[in-house]
Amino acid sequence: TGFLFNGSTYIYMNALGTSGGWLQPDAINRFDQVGGATNLTSNGPFRAFVAYNGIVTNLNKLVDPSLNLVLYNVDHINDSGLMTVIDYYNVEYLLTPVLSVASSHTGSFTPGQQGATYSVTVTNAATAPATNGTITVTETLPSGLALMSMAGNGWTCPHGANTCTRSNSLGPGLSYDPITVTVNVATGATSPQVNWVSVSEGNVWLGNSSDPTSLQV
C-alpha cells in the first residue's frame, strides 16, 4: 500500500482514484502527482499509471501508439513532470510532457512590493497532437507572495482562485496567450521566492515549472 510520511505520521494513499484493479504507487512529486503500476482489472496485466486529482490514467494511453511500447511501471516523477518508466524487459525510458508551462518575470522584486507580475505561457510540443480537453493552469506561490489576480486573453480565471482554464484546441508548436499573475510581496519575504506553476489537460497533469525570483532588499 502506498503512503506518505511527513516526518511523524503515515498517511495511506487510498484516495488516488479507481483503476479497476489494485494500485502500486512507486513515485510522487511535490504536486502529489503519483505514478506506479496497476493491473487495471483484478486479473489483468501490469501497466504503468499516473494519478492526479483523483483520476487514474493508464500511461500507455498517453504515449504515441506508433512507438509500440508497453509500459509497466513508473519509477520516478520529478517536479517538472518528467518520468522514468520501464517496459516488460526492464528497459527504462524518459517520458517528457508534450504540453509545457513556463513562468517568467522581469528584474527583481522587493519586500513589501505591491502589484508585482509574472507572465505564464502554455505551449504544445511541435510533434504533439492538438489538445482536445479543458486546459487548467494552477499557480502554487511561496509563503512570501500573495496572489492578487490572474488574467489572460481567452482564459477564464475565477476571482480569488489560483487557476485559469480554457477549452479551445491548441495546435502543435503553438502557445496560448499568456496569463498575467499579479502578486504582492510580503514585507518579511526572503530571497529567493520560487513560483511554481503547473498545467493539466482534463484531469491528467502534463507539466510543471518553477521561476526563482530574487528579492532586492
Side-chain angles (χ1 to χ4, degrees), residues 41-78:
T41 62
S42 58
N43 295 310
F46 299 128
R47 292 294 184 264
F49 78 86
V50 290
Y52 182 54
N53 280 345
I55 302 297
V56 176
T57 303
N58 178 358
L59 190 57
N60 290 273
K61 295 184 179 299
L62 302 182
V63 176
D64 186 346
S66 68
L67 297 176
N68 294 317
L69 294 177
V70 179
L71 303 175
Y72 274 64
N73 190 46
V74 177
D75 292 327
H76 304 92
I77 304 175
N78 73 4

Side-chain angles (χ1 to χ4, degrees), residues 108-114 116 144-145 184-187 189 213-217:
S108 300
F109 294 172
T110 58
Q113 181 177 351
Q114 306 291 294
L145 301 178
N184 289 345
V185 185
T187 302
T213 307
S214 298
L215 300 186
Q216 186 173 1
V217 180

Side-chain angles (χ1 to χ4, degrees), residues 65-135:
S66 68
L67 297 176
N68 294 317
L69 294 177
V70 179
L71 303 175
Y72 274 64
N73 190 46
V74 177
D75 292 327
H76 304 92
I77 304 175
N78 73 4
D79 290 340
S80 296
L82 276 71
M83 293 178 287
T84 56
V85 300
I86 58 171
D87 65 8
Y88 177 81
Y89 300 100
N90 283 324
V91 176
E92 194 152 14
Y93 301 87
L94 175 66
L95 301 187
T96 302
V98 296
L99 199 61
S100 62
V101 62
S103 173
S104 63
H105 66 280
T106 301
S108 300
F109 294 172
T110 58
Q113 181 177 351
Q114 306 291 294
T117 60
Y118 291 98
S119 181
V120 175
T121 304
V122 174
T123 302
N124 198 8
T127 56
T131 63
N132 61 5
T134 298
I135 305 301

